[in-house]
Amino acid sequence: MIQFNLKRFGKLACWTFRNDKRYIVKSFLQAFVILLLIFLFFTMIVKVNGGYDASYKSCTIAVIAILGVNIVLGPALMFYSMEGKHDMQTLMMLPASNFEKYLVRNAQCIVLVPLYIVAILGADLIQYLIHLMAGHDYGRFVVGVLFDLCSKGLPHFDGSYGRFFATLIVFIIWLQSVFAVGATLFRTRKFNWIITTVFLILLCVLIVKINGLFEVVSLNDHSTTWDYVVGYGIYLVLTMVNYWLSYRQFCRTQVIGKFVNL
């Protein structure tokens, strides 16, 4: 079978998202309710030092944290909509290549990100209307506060900050690839992200432990452009290796089998 066919991939994507509609709607509603409760908690219930400006800044931190966590953990949740052996059997028996099936499952986390953004905007609008109906003159849009904070930081966005954000993006892409490996390696789909996170924590502890035995290559203000290019290249190569491992493990997925797909 040809590994990738656009028409077949489109049919597979339509079938997948139609069957996952319940999970997608549930994820959207959960994000909406949680964000709305956070907004109302910080702006109406708890008193933050610094007044209402600080309360809305706390809301922006919560928005960035929730969106960031969902983006990083996205690949680890690629099978969360599948319940039991029957769903995995159905997936494996579909008339499509393993590569197309893997791409569709990965695409689910990409589809959820715009829905989370809609949930943020919807929860922000509801909290603003609640403050308006309650007669609170301090009611503001959380998204507006977030844009104000970003606009104030733009004049200070020099070369060092640019390198920092570029490094952060590359690091997030690598983290996503690690969670993709965990999603296809561990059969406990409901907890694979926890196991993968524990692995990352242990890896960081190991690096700190052996830090005294050899010099760790680090990027700082004295690093040259070539140092950054080499560093980004290493991370991108590791990312491709992780996704390749994840795909190979997906091809070896066992409906009934061991704790891991090996």
Side-chain angles (χ1 to χ4, degrees):
M1 178 182 289
I2 300 174
Q3 287 296 308
F4 185 82
N5 181 276
L6 186 60
K7 184 177 180 180
R8 189 173 60 208
F9 177 79
K11 291 181 179 179
L12 177 64
C14 292
W15 180 89
T16 301
F17 293 126
R18 184 170 61 249
N19 282 271
D20 291 351
K21 181 173 63 176
R22 177 184 174 187
Y23 169 75
I24 294 173
V25 172
K26 183 177 70 173
S27 299
F28 168 78
L29 292 177
Q30 285 178 342
F32 174 79
V33 172
I34 291 173
L35 285 165
L36 180 59
L37 292 177
I38 290 175
F39 293 164
L40 296 179
F41 176 76
F42 279 114
T43 60
M44 296 185 67
I45 299 177
V46 68
K47 292 184 178 180
V48 181
N49 292 333
Y52 295 113
D53 289 339
S55 297
Y56 275 97
K57 288 180 181 178
S58 300
C59 293
T60 62
I61 294 174
V63 167
I64 295 172
I66 291 176
L67 193 59
V69 167
N70 281 280
I71 290 175
V72 172
L73 290 182
L77 312 179
M78 67 172 79
F79 299 111
Y80 264 45
S81 61
M82 304 178 66
E83 300 176 357
K85 297 180 294 183
H86 176 72
D87 288 342
M88 183 59 71
Q89 289 174 339
T90 303
L91 176 66
M92 292 305 176
M93 294 176 62
L94 289 174
S97 67
N98 286 333
F99 183 64
E100 292 165 344
K101 296 171 186 176
Y102 182 78
L103 285 181
V104 167
R105 301 312 307 180
N106 253 313
Q108 188 183 77
C109 63
I110 301 175
V111 173
L112 286 175
V113 171
L115 289 180
Y116 289 139
I117 294 176
V118 174
I120 292 170
L121 297 175
D124 194 14
L125 177 61
I126 296 299
Q127 70 85 22
Y128 179 78
L129 292 177
I130 290 176
H131 285 298
L132 193 64
M133 291 185 293
H136 299 160
D137 56 355
Y138 60 84
R140 301 174 61 186
F141 285 108
V142 176
V143 176
V145 176
L146 180 60
F147 285 157
D148 289 341
L149 293 175
C150 292
S151 62
K152 291 178 181 178
L154 284 177
H156 306 286
F157 194 80
D158 55 10
S160 60
Y161 279 95
R163 289 192 296 269
F164 168 77
F165 280 105
T167 304
L168 180 62
I169 292 173
V170 172
F171 182 67
I172 289 175
I173 294 173
W174 175 76
L175 276 180
Q176 287 181 325
S177 70
V178 174
F179 281 105
V181 173
T184 53
L185 175 62
F186 301 108
R187 290 179 49 79
T188 54
R189 293 190 293 275
K190 296 298 182 182
F191 306 101
N192 57 51
W193 67 271
I194 298 177
I195 301 173
T196 309
T197 303
V198 171
F199 164 77
L200 286 172
I201 294 174
L202 293 176
L203 179 63
C204 292
V205 172
L206 178 62
I207 292 175
V208 172
K209 281 287 185 181
I210 64 179
N211 189 22
L213 301 179
F214 65 92
E215 183 178 357
V216 177
V217 178
S218 61
L219 298 177
N220 49 50
D221 293 337
H222 302 290
S223 301
T224 63
T225 302
W226 178 248
D227 293 331
Y228 278 92
V229 171
V230 173
Y232 294 159
I234 292 174
Y235 266 99
L236 292 178
V237 169
L238 292 175
T239 299
M240 289 187 290
V241 171
N242 285 337
Y243 274 113
W244 177 79
L245 289 173
S246 177
Y247 171 67
R248 288 299 298 269
Q249 290 163 182
F250 173 76
C251 294
R252 297 171 60 91
T253 299
Q254 305 167 45
V255 178
I256 301 175
K258 304 174 183 178
F259 177 70
V260 294
N261 292 313
L262 290 177

PDB file of all heavy atoms in Angstrom, residues 204-225:
ATOM      1  N   CYS A 204      16.420  14.996  34.015  1.00  0.00           N
ATOM      2  CA  CYS A 204      16.998  16.267  34.489  1.00  0.00           C
ATOM      3  C   CYS A 204      17.842  16.054  35.739  1.00  0.00           C
ATOM      4  O   CYS A 204      18.921  16.648  35.875  1.00  0.00           O
ATOM      5  CB  CYS A 204      15.869  17.265  34.770  1.00  0.00           C
ATOM      6  SG  CYS A 204      14.977  17.832  33.308  1.00  0.00           S
ATOM      7  N   VAL A 205      17.359  15.210  36.657  1.00  0.00           N
ATOM      8  CA  VAL A 205      18.129  14.913  37.873  1.00  0.00           C
ATOM      9  C   VAL A 205      19.450  14.238  37.517  1.00  0.00           C
ATOM     10  O   VAL A 205      20.508  14.557  38.084  1.00  0.00           O
ATOM     11  CB  VAL A 205      17.300  14.020  38.822  1.00  0.00           C
ATOM     12  CG1 VAL A 205      18.158  13.550  39.993  1.00  0.00           C
ATOM     13  CG2 VAL A 205      16.071  14.768  39.319  1.00  0.00           C
ATOM     14  N   LEU A 206      19.406  13.326  36.538  1.00  0.00           N
ATOM     15  CA  LEU A 206      20.628  12.638  36.113  1.00  0.00           C
ATOM     16  C   LEU A 206      21.638  13.617  35.520  1.00  0.00           C
ATOM     17  O   LEU A 206      22.838  13.553  35.797  1.00  0.00           O
ATOM     18  CB  LEU A 206      20.276  11.560  35.092  1.00  0.00           C
ATOM     19  CG  LEU A 206      21.451  10.770  34.504  1.00  0.00           C
ATOM     20  CD1 LEU A 206      22.178  10.002  35.610  1.00  0.00           C
ATOM     21  CD2 LEU A 206      20.972   9.823  33.414  1.00  0.00           C
ATOM     22  N   ILE A 207      21.141  14.554  34.707  1.00  0.00           N
ATOM     23  CA  ILE A 207      22.031  15.555  34.102  1.00  0.00           C
ATOM     24  C   ILE A 207      22.679  16.415  35.179  1.00  0.00           C
ATOM     25  O   ILE A 207      23.875  16.733  35.115  1.00  0.00           O
ATOM     26  CB  ILE A 207      21.253  16.420  33.095  1.00  0.00           C
ATOM     27  CG1 ILE A 207      20.846  15.572  31.887  1.00  0.00           C
ATOM     28  CG2 ILE A 207      22.093  17.607  32.632  1.00  0.00           C
ATOM     29  CD1 ILE A 207      19.960  16.311  30.898  1.00  0.00           C
ATOM     30  N   VAL A 208      21.893  16.800  36.190  1.00  0.00           N
ATOM     31  CA  VAL A 208      22.446  17.604  37.284  1.00  0.00           C
ATOM     32  C   VAL A 208      23.489  16.810  38.057  1.00  0.00           C
ATOM     33  O   VAL A 208      24.538  17.340  38.454  1.00  0.00           O
ATOM     34  CB  VAL A 208      21.308  18.074  38.209  1.00  0.00           C
ATOM     35  CG1 VAL A 208      21.884  18.737  39.459  1.00  0.00           C
ATOM     36  CG2 VAL A 208      20.394  19.046  37.481  1.00  0.00           C
ATOM     37  N   LYS A 209      23.225  15.512  38.252  1.00  0.00           N
ATOM     38  CA  LYS A 209      24.151  14.668  39.011  1.00  0.00           C
ATOM     39  C   LYS A 209      25.505  14.545  38.313  1.00  0.00           C
ATOM     40  O   LYS A 209      26.560  14.602  38.950  1.00  0.00           O
ATOM     41  CB  LYS A 209      23.541  13.280  39.214  1.00  0.00           C
ATOM     42  CG  LYS A 209      22.515  13.208  40.315  1.00  0.00           C
ATOM     43  CD  LYS A 209      23.174  13.289  41.689  1.00  0.00           C
ATOM     44  CE  LYS A 209      22.159  13.082  42.791  1.00  0.00           C
ATOM     45  NZ  LYS A 209      22.805  13.176  44.141  1.00  0.00           N
ATOM     46  N   ILE A 210      25.467  14.337  36.988  1.00  0.00           N
ATOM     47  CA  ILE A 210      26.721  14.113  36.266  1.00  0.00           C
ATOM     48  C   ILE A 210      27.309  15.408  35.732  1.00  0.00           C
ATOM     49  O   ILE A 210      28.295  15.388  34.998  1.00  0.00           O
ATOM     50  CB  ILE A 210      26.508  13.117  35.106  1.00  0.00           C
ATOM     51  CG1 ILE A 210      25.538  13.694  34.064  1.00  0.00           C
ATOM     52  CG2 ILE A 210      26.001  11.787  35.625  1.00  0.00           C
ATOM     53  CD1 ILE A 210      25.313  12.781  32.883  1.00  0.00           C
ATOM     54  N   ASN A 211      26.706  16.521  36.090  1.00  0.00           N
ATOM     55  CA  ASN A 211      27.185  17.818  35.607  1.00  0.00           C
ATOM     56  C   ASN A 211      28.622  18.077  36.061  1.00  0.00           C
ATOM     57  O   ASN A 211      29.400  18.742  35.374  1.00  0.00           O
ATOM     58  CB  ASN A 211      26.258  18.933  36.102  1.00  0.00           C
ATOM     59  CG  ASN A 211      26.573  20.272  35.458  1.00  0.00           C
ATOM     60  OD1 ASN A 211      27.174  20.330  34.393  1.00  0.00           O
ATOM     61  ND2 ASN A 211      26.167  21.328  36.121  1.00  0.00           N
ATOM     62  N   GLY A 212      28.979  17.548  37.234  1.00  0.00           N
ATOM     63  CA  GLY A 212      30.329  17.782  37.734  1.00  0.00           C
ATOM     64  C   GLY A 212      31.384  16.945  37.048  1.00  0.00           C
ATOM     65  O   GLY A 212      32.577  17.204  37.206  1.00  0.00           O
ATOM     66  N   LEU A 213      30.962  15.921  36.290  1.00  0.00           N
ATOM     67  CA  LEU A 213      31.922  15.035  35.647  1.00  0.00           C
ATOM     68  C   LEU A 213      32.348  15.518  34.275  1.00  0.00           C
ATOM     69  O   LEU A 213      33.393  15.137  33.778  1.00  0.00           O
ATOM     70  CB  LEU A 213      31.332  13.616  35.537  1.00  0.00           C
ATOM     71  CG  LEU A 213      30.927  12.964  36.872  1.00  0.00           C
ATOM     72  CD1 LEU A 213      30.352  11.589  36.613  1.00  0.00           C
ATOM     73  CD2 LEU A 213      32.140  12.883  37.793  1.00  0.00           C
ATOM     74  N   PHE A 214      31.521  16.317  33.633  1.00  0.00           N
ATOM     75  CA  PHE A 214      31.900  16.857  32.334  1.00  0.00           C
ATOM     76  C   PHE A 214      31.228  18.210  32.140  1.00  0.00           C
ATOM     77  O   PHE A 214      30.253  18.544  32.812  1.00  0.00           O
ATOM     78  CB  PHE A 214      31.533  15.896  31.195  1.00  0.00           C
ATOM     79  CG  PHE A 214      30.044  15.687  31.035  1.00  0.00           C
ATOM     80  CD1 PHE A 214      29.303  16.471  30.178  1.00  0.00           C
ATOM     81  CD2 PHE A 214      29.405  14.684  31.756  1.00  0.00           C
ATOM     82  CE1 PHE A 214      27.953  16.280  30.037  1.00  0.00           C
ATOM     83  CE2 PHE A 214      28.047  14.485  31.613  1.00  0.00           C
ATOM     84  CZ  PHE A 214      27.323  15.280  30.753  1.00  0.00           C
ATOM     85  N   GLU A 215      31.745  18.979  31.232  1.00  0.00           N
ATOM     86  CA  GLU A 215      31.232  20.323  30.989  1.00  0.00           C
ATOM     87  C   GLU A 215      30.046  20.262  30.046  1.00  0.00           C
ATOM     88  O   GLU A 215      30.138  19.737  28.933  1.00  0.00           O
ATOM     89  CB  GLU A 215      32.324  21.199  30.373  1.00  0.00           C
ATOM     90  CG  GLU A 215      31.879  22.646  30.165  1.00  0.00           C
ATOM     91  CD  GLU A 215      32.987  23.505  29.591  1.00  0.00           C
ATOM     92  OE1 GLU A 215      34.101  22.973  29.416  1.00  0.00           O
ATOM     93  OE2 GLU A 215      32.717  24.681  29.313  1.00  0.00           O
ATOM     94  N   VAL A 216      28.928  20.762  30.492  1.00  0.00           N
ATOM     95  CA  VAL A 216      27.724  20.763  29.680  1.00  0.00           C
ATOM     96  C   VAL A 216      27.746  21.973  28.753  1.00  0.00           C
ATOM     97  O   VAL A 216      28.003  23.095  29.184  1.00  0.00           O
ATOM     98  CB  VAL A 216      26.459  20.803  30.575  1.00  0.00           C
ATOM     99  CG1 VAL A 216      25.208  20.871  29.723  1.00  0.00           C
ATOM    100  CG2 VAL A 216      26.422  19.588  31.480  1.00  0.00           C
ATOM    101  N   VAL A 217      27.484  21.733  27.478  1.00  0.00           N
ATOM    102  CA  VAL A 217      27.442  22.830  26.504  1.00  0.00           C
ATOM    103  C   VAL A 217      26.190  23.654  26.756  1.00  0.00           C
ATOM    104  O   VAL A 217      25.081  23.134  26.780  1.00  0.00           O
ATOM    105  CB  VAL A 217      27.434  22.277  25.072  1.00  0.00           C
ATOM    106  CG1 VAL A 217      27.336  23.411  24.070  1.00  0.00           C
ATOM    107  CG2 VAL A 217      28.680  21.456  24.813  1.00  0.00           C
ATOM    108  N   SER A 218      26.356  24.936  26.993  1.00  0.00           N
ATOM    109  CA  SER A 218      25.227  25.815  27.282  1.00  0.00           C
ATOM    110  C   SER A 218      25.281  27.040  26.388  1.00  0.00           C
ATOM    111  O   SER A 218      26.349  27.452  25.944  1.00  0.00           O
ATOM    112  CB  SER A 218      25.230  26.231  28.760  1.00  0.00           C
ATOM    113  OG  SER A 218      26.420  26.924  29.051  1.00  0.00           O
ATOM    114  N   LEU A 219      24.094  27.592  26.145  1.00  0.00           N
ATOM    115  CA  LEU A 219      23.984  28.792  25.335  1.00  0.00           C
ATOM    116  C   LEU A 219      23.741  29.977  26.254  1.00  0.00           C
ATOM    117  O   LEU A 219      22.862  29.946  27.108  1.00  0.00           O
ATOM    118  CB  LEU A 219      22.829  28.654  24.330  1.00  0.00           C
ATOM    119  CG  LEU A 219      22.963  27.509  23.308  1.00  0.00           C
ATOM    120  CD1 LEU A 219      21.725  27.431  22.431  1.00  0.00           C
ATOM    121  CD2 LEU A 219      24.212  27.675  22.468  1.00  0.00           C
ATOM    122  N   ASN A 220      24.517  31.039  26.095  1.00  0.00           N
ATOM    123  CA  ASN A 220      24.370  32.225  26.921  1.00  0.00           C
ATOM    124  C   ASN A 220      24.641  33.458  26.069  1.00  0.00           C
ATOM    125  O   ASN A 220      24.714  33.382  24.835  1.00  0.00           O
ATOM    126  CB  ASN A 220      25.317  32.163  28.124  1.00  0.00           C
ATOM    127  CG  ASN A 220      26.745  31.809  27.700  1.00  0.00           C
ATOM    128  OD1 ASN A 220      27.286  32.430  26.780  1.00  0.00           O
ATOM    129  ND2 ASN A 220      27.326  30.809  28.351  1.00  0.00           N
ATOM    130  N   ASP A 221      24.782  34.605  26.721  1.00  0.00           N
ATOM    131  CA  ASP A 221      24.986  35.860  25.992  1.00  0.00           C
ATOM    132  C   ASP A 221      26.302  35.876  25.220  1.00  0.00           C
ATOM    133  O   ASP A 221      26.466  36.665  24.288  1.00  0.00           O
ATOM    134  CB  ASP A 221      24.944  37.042  26.972  1.00  0.00           C
ATOM    135  CG  ASP A 221      23.565  37.228  27.567  1.00  0.00           C
ATOM    136  OD1 ASP A 221      22.595  36.777  26.927  1.00  0.00           O
ATOM    137  OD2 ASP A 221      23.454  37.794  28.671  1.00  0.00           O
ATOM    138  N   HIS A 222      27.255  35.042  25.610  1.00  0.00           N
ATOM    139  CA  HIS A 222      28.550  35.017  24.932  1.00  0.00           C
ATOM    140  C   HIS A 222      28.575  34.014  23.775  1.00  0.00           C
ATOM    141  O   HIS A 222      29.586  33.910  23.084  1.00  0.00           O
ATOM    142  CB  HIS A 222      29.654  34.670  25.940  1.00  0.00           C
ATOM    143  CG  HIS A 222      29.725  35.623  27.096  1.00  0.00           C
ATOM    144  ND1 HIS A 222      30.161  36.929  26.958  1.00  0.00           N
ATOM    145  CD2 HIS A 222      29.390  35.463  28.404  1.00  0.00           C
ATOM    146  CE1 HIS A 222      30.121  37.530  28.136  1.00  0.00           C
ATOM    147  NE2 HIS A 222      29.652  36.662  29.027  1.00  0.00           N
ATOM    148  N   SER A 223      27.486  33.273  23.588  1.00  0.00           N
ATOM    149  CA  SER A 223      27.436  32.296  22.508  1.00  0.00           C
ATOM    150  C   SER A 223      27.303  33.000  21.163  1.00  0.00           C
ATOM    151  O   SER A 223      26.618  34.019  21.036  1.00  0.00           O
ATOM    152  CB  SER A 223      26.258  31.332  22.709  1.00  0.00           C
ATOM    153  OG  SER A 223      26.381  30.649  23.938  1.00  0.00           O
ATOM    154  N   THR A 224      27.933  32.434  20.158  1.00  0.00           N
ATOM    155  CA  THR A 224      27.861  33.010  18.816  1.00  0.00           C
ATOM    156  C   THR A 224      26.640  32.464  18.079  1.00  0.00           C
ATOM    157  O   THR A 224      25.966  31.532  18.547  1.00  0.00           O
ATOM    158  CB  THR A 224      29.135  32.649  18.030  1.00  0.00           C
ATOM    159  OG1 THR A 224      29.202  31.224  17.873  1.00  0.00           O
ATOM    160  CG2 THR A 224      30.372  33.150  18.765  1.00  0.00           C
ATOM    161  N   THR A 225      26.365  33.058  16.917  1.00  0.00           N
ATOM    162  CA  THR A 225      25.248  32.584  16.104  1.00  0.00           C
ATOM    163  C   THR A 225      25.444  31.129  15.704  1.00  0.00           C
ATOM    164  O   THR A 225      24.495  30.341  15.673  1.00  0.00           O
ATOM    165  CB  THR A 225      25.110  33.463  14.846  1.00  0.00           C
ATOM    166  OG1 THR A 225      24.929  34.830  15.245  1.00  0.00           O
ATOM    167  CG2 THR A 225      23.923  33.018  14.005  1.00  0.00           C
TER     168      THR A 225
END
